Amino acid sequence: MNDHSPVAVASRAAQRTAWLLFAPPAVLAGLRWLLQWQSERGPQTTALPLTPLALDATALQLLAPLGWILTAALVLGLCVYWAVRRVGGPRVRRALLGGWVALWVAGSAALLWQHANLQGLVPQEPVQAEVLGSRPRMPNLHAVGGTELLLRVDGLEGVQQLVVDDPQAAQWRYGTRLSLQWSRGRSSGRFVTGWRVQDLPAGTGTTAPNL
């Protein structure tokens, strides 16, 4: 078969498209596995994100990310339709494949940044915290699940959120005092590296309902 025949050209184009569609996700999955394997070879340390919780967020604010996603999808669809009519389908497909590859490259870069951020933790002085509420968190593709705690942390404004995979955390109720060991990431973020129960609320009358 002639290498320049329409069938050969179409076959090479299909192979290239398949590589561009499936190779970037495979590279990201391999990179994730490699970083996890490297982390497991070294000393095992706990680093749980401690993040602010926006308790005053309205329903509109909570649904805003979904609205932005739907709007972006609609705009992208209209742009693709307009581009196909102006420059033709093949050019648009190449542009979409380029954007697809760029998306996964950005994901790989974010994964490397997160790994480097956790590898350079800067320990801080222990801090006192009080449990304001708790609820179970189901595991997913990105986390093992456990108990989501709402905390008032000395020195930090607002309510802080922490997901702990310790089974004992499900028993911590409103008013439980904790001593947290925590660190700052190399570039950003706060991470809890250990905890100890300082004081349990007396009796059952101080127990607040789970959130």
Side-chain angles (χ1 to χ4, degrees):
M1 180 183 298
N2 189 343
D3 290 343
H4 300 287
S5 66
V7 174
V9 172
S11 177
R12 289 197 297 269
Q15 291 178 359
R16 183 170 59 251
T17 299
W19 272 103
L20 292 176
L21 284 176
F22 296 107
V27 169
L28 179 60
L31 178 61
R32 184 188 301 275
W33 176 86
L34 179 62
L35 294 177
Q36 183 177 358
W37 173 78
Q38 183 182 14
S39 299
E40 291 175 350
R41 291 189 63 191
Q44 298 299 305
T45 58
T46 299
L48 305 177
L50 182 67
T51 57
L53 181 68
L55 292 177
D56 57 348
T58 64
L60 183 60
Q61 290 173 325
L62 293 175
L63 294 176
L66 178 60
W68 282 111
I69 292 175
L70 294 177
T71 302
L74 177 61
V75 172
L76 178 61
L78 292 176
C79 290
V80 169
Y81 175 77
W82 175 83
V84 169
R85 293 177 60 87
R86 290 295 301 269
V87 302
R91 290 185 178 180
V92 173
R93 284 195 294 270
R94 287 195 293 269
L96 290 176
L97 284 174
W100 172 259
V101 173
L103 177 66
W104 288 97
V105 169
S108 299
L111 192 62
L112 288 171
W113 174 86
Q114 182 183 26
H115 179 75
N117 190 46
L118 291 177
Q119 293 301 309
L121 293 178
V122 181
Q124 307 293 309
E125 291 293 330
V127 66
Q128 300 295 310
E130 180 183 5
V131 175
L132 301 179
S134 66
R135 61 185 176 186
R137 172 71 70 88
M138 298 300 295
N140 53 46
L141 295 177
H142 305 287
V144 297
T147 301
E148 179 182 344
L149 300 174
L150 302 184
L151 305 173
R152 180 184 293 113
V153 181
D154 294 352
L156 299 182
E157 296 183 0
V159 177
Q160 304 296 314
Q161 183 180 20
L162 175 68
V163 179
V164 176
D165 58 358
D166 185 351
Q168 296 296 326
Q171 307 300 322
W172 300 344
R173 301 300 183 185
Y174 176 81
T176 301
R177 297 288 300 179
L178 305 174
S179 175
L180 300 180
Q181 297 175 357
W182 65 296
S183 300
R184 292 185 181 275
R186 171 177 291 179
S187 56
S188 64
R190 298 185 179 96
F191 300 89
V192 173
T193 57
W195 55 85
R196 182 164 56 90
V197 177
Q198 292 285 93
D199 183 31
L200 292 172
T204 58
T206 58
T207 301
N210 289 350
L211 303 181

